[in-house]
Amino acid sequence: SKVLGEHLPLAVDLLADLLLNARLDPSDIEKEREVILQEIKMVEDAPDDQIHDLFAQTIWADHPLGRPILGWRETLRQIGRDEIVKHTDRYYRPDRTIISAAGDLDHDALVDLAAAAFGGWGGCAHAGFTAPPVSRLTAVNEDRDLSQVHLCLGVNGLATAHRDRYTLSILNTILGGGMSSRLFQEIREKRGLVYSIYSYGASYRDGGLLVVYAGTSSDHYQEVVDLIQEELRKIRDEPVRPADFRRAKEQLKGNLLLGLESTNSRMTRLARMYMAFNRCFGLEEIIQGIEEVTPERLRQLTQSLFD
């Protein structure tokens, strides 16, 4: 909820009411089911979106993290009100809940509002932990009647709270994090083989991925794959130039500061930090973590990931 500061009590009351007293009317569930089915179709019609789901399903085939967030048609049709009520009773409990806010508010006043709104809520959530994901070394191709080839090529990444998380962010920035990155410059700007190419990290509590995405023509597919692999080898085997290393750090810090201009991103960042570390990091501590990354740590990480 995003409201004027003076309307904070109403916002807290509405959110608490939605969570604790949801009607979950069967007719509303049916409407939402149809909406999600349409979302699944929409993703299937956007191969540059769906390729990321297919990649996760391929590399983490037997793990929950490999499943698409929207689910599958078969399971979606089986979910009714009873299943939703059982799920919320099992997992939506105070010990698994974080209240995060940013903007025009007073912390103590918000705590009082939350205590009043959620004071009667009790119980503990089902643990529900699974084993860490195990990656498969494999290649999968799916034929589609499309004008482009969409591809993802990736390796194991790091868990959210890993000590080298800042090192991974710098690696991703140098490799494919923007228009000045190596992949963009080498494969799009210099050779014109793709329209879109980038890398990204996906980090979770107990595992992660580092993925490169590219969209190209079928004629250039193999050349693009070879060039991506060549860039991975270069960043693993050759020292990164000091200017590129410094530029990546400055880019990360700049993105961090720009994100603080949005109350939405501040609120989300606070919750994510608390979920991963059970505490919040100040801006100075994060910047210090970025600055402490050395070329040697980057070299060690690339040799570990790109073995």
Side-chain angles (χ1 to χ4, degrees), residues 163-171 174 245-246 248-249 252 286-301:
R163 66 178 294 273
D164 279 326
R165 59 190 180 276
Y166 297 122
T167 311
L168 181 65
S169 295
I170 290 174
L171 168 59
I174 295 170
F245 195 68
R246 170 50 50 191
K249 285 187 174 184
L252 274 179
I286 297 173
I287 290 176
Q288 181 182 348
I290 295 171
E291 287 294 348
E292 286 177 350
V293 177
T294 62
E296 176 61 21
R297 281 177 64 182
L298 179 65
R299 187 188 67 82
Q300 291 173 353
L301 181 64

Side-chain angles (χ1 to χ4, degrees), residues 4 17 19 27 30-31 56 83-84 89 150 215 291 300-301:
L4 293 173
D17 195 31
L19 178 61
S27 64
E30 286 305 316
K31 289 177 193 172
E83 285 74 26
I84 296 173
D89 285 348
H150 301 267
E291 287 294 348
Q300 291 173 353
L301 181 64

Side-chain angles (χ1 to χ4, degrees), residues 44-62:
E44 289 175 346
D45 286 343
D48 53 332
D49 282 343
Q50 194 184 26
I51 186 66
H52 304 285
D53 280 349
L54 293 174
F55 181 80
Q57 290 171 43
T58 299
I59 197 167
W60 284 339
D62 300 319

Side-chain angles (χ1 to χ4, degrees), residues 27-37 39 76:
S27 64
D28 292 335
I29 292 172
E30 286 305 316
K31 289 177 193 172
E32 186 60 26
R33 191 194 319 277
E34 289 304 313
V35 170
I36 297 172
L37 286 169
E39 285 186 273
L76 190 62

Side-chain angles (χ1 to χ4, degrees), residues 61-208:
D62 300 319
H63 194 274
L65 285 175
R67 300 172 190 160
I69 290 174
L70 289 172
W72 290 285
R73 290 180 177 82
E74 313 81 66
T75 50
L76 190 62
R77 292 192 176 99
Q78 297 170 20
I79 298 172
R81 189 180 191 280
D82 289 346
E83 285 74 26
I84 296 173
V85 170
K86 287 177 185 175
H87 182 86
T88 53
D89 285 348
R90 213 171 176 202
Y91 296 108
Y92 286 42
R93 291 295 178 185
D95 61 325
R96 294 286 294 277
T97 301
I98 294 170
I99 296 174
S100 179
D104 178 23
L105 56 88
D106 175 80
H107 177 80
D108 292 334
L110 175 61
V111 170
D112 290 340
L113 288 170
F118 295 97
W121 189 28
C124 293
H126 176 73
F129 291 121
T130 57
V134 177
S135 299
R136 297 191 306 160
L137 177 63
T138 185
V140 171
N141 296 303
E142 184 172 304
D143 290 332
R144 294 280 186 91
D145 184 17
L146 300 170
S147 57
Q148 266 198 319
V149 175
H150 301 267
L151 67 101
C152 279
L153 185 154
V155 299
N156 283 320
L158 302 178
T160 304
H162 196 283
R163 66 178 294 273
D164 279 326
R165 59 190 180 276
Y166 297 122
T167 311
L168 181 65
S169 295
I170 290 174
L171 168 59
N172 180 61
T173 301
I174 295 170
L175 182 64
M179 290 187 290
S180 62
S181 68
R182 292 185 175 190
L183 290 171
F184 193 93
Q185 287 296 316
E186 182 67 29
I187 302 177
R188 174 180 154 143
E189 293 297 280
K190 189 181 292 185
R191 302 172 187 265
L193 297 176
V194 300
Y195 175 73
S196 178
I197 186 166
Y198 56 86
S199 64
Y200 64 91
S203 295
Y204 304 94
R205 183 184 66 243
D206 50 5

